């Protein structure tokens, strides 16, 4: 309805409520970032090895062919538990990763929670907060511009 009233009302009608929505969720994003960074700091570190690189080829008549490479890694925890898992992120050149030695950081209480690049995860979580804060600023700015145009 705001679009029918003109651009200023559209900016106010969309920018204002969306800014409030994102601002309400921003503290949760900050808490999630802080929680993940604390978990990353508490992780144990061991050496692991990429034991396979699974190749999945999908053929779609609309989009053509897409290929996904999923590295499979193996590591042994400090208490002697052998773990085999697939890693879908934070590994450069997954296609050429077979037999590569890697540093694995894992949560002792949850072996499914591991990472191959702790710094990349930290950067990603910090980027989440920055993007959310920037969205609040841009949306609030759009609402202010709409009010100024009235």
């Amino acid at each position: 309805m705001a679009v029918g009233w003109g651009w200023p009302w559209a900016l106010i009608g969309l920018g204002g409520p969306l800014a409030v929505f994102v601002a309400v969720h921003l503290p949760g994003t900050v808490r999630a970032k802080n929680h993940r960074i604390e978990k990353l700091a508490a992780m144990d570190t061991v050496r692991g090895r990429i034991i396979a690189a699974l190749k999945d080829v999908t053929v779609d008549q609309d989009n053509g062919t897409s290929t996904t490479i999923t590295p499979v890694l193996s590591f042994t925890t400090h208490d002697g538990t052998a773990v085999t898992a697939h890693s879908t992120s934070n590994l450069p050149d997954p296609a050429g990763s077979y037999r590569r030695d890697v540093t694995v950081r894992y949560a002792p209480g949850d072996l499914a929670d591991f990472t191959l690049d702790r710094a990349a995860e930290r950067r990603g979580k910090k980027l989440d907060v920055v993007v959310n804060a920037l969205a609040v600023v841009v949306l609030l700015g759009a609402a202010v511009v709409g009010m100024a145009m009235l």
Side-chain angles (χ1 to χ4, degrees):
M1 184 163 180
V3 175
W5 293 347
W7 279 106
W9 286 107
L11 291 173
I12 295 168
L14 290 174
L18 286 175
V20 170
F21 178 78
V22 175
V24 166
H25 287 86
L26 184 59
T29 303
V30 172
R31 280 192 301 276
K33 174 202 64 114
N34 291 339
H35 178 69
R36 184 61 182 163
I37 287 177
E38 288 171 5
K39 281 185 82 171
L40 288 169
M43 288 182 162
D44 288 342
T45 303
V46 294
R47 296 298 297 163
R49 186 171 186 90
I50 305 297
I51 58 171
L54 305 176
K55 183 177 183 178
D56 181 35
V57 178
T58 304
V59 179
D60 184 3
Q61 67 185 27
D62 296 329
N63 298 326
T65 303
S66 67
T67 303
T68 305
I69 305 291
T70 305
V72 178
L73 69 116
S74 176
F75 64 94
T76 303
T77 64
H78 289 298
D79 66 357
T81 303
V83 178
T84 303
H86 70 277
S87 176
T88 57
S89 64
N90 297 330
L91 185 65
D93 186 28
S97 64
Y98 180 59
R99 294 187 178 158
R100 184 186 310 166
D101 289 327
V102 292
T103 301
V104 180
R105 289 170 180 83
Y106 68 93
D110 181 12
L111 297 179
D113 184 11
F114 67 91
T115 183
L116 301 178
D117 190 349
R118 186 168 38 186
E121 277 206 45
R122 266 194 217 115
R123 283 190 307 271
K125 291 299 178 185
K126 289 179 181 178
L127 183 62
D128 285 348
V129 173
V130 170
V131 167
N132 279 276
L134 186 60
V136 170
V137 170
V138 168
L139 291 166
L140 194 56
V144 169
V145 167
M147 285 188 265
M149 289 173 64
L150 285 178

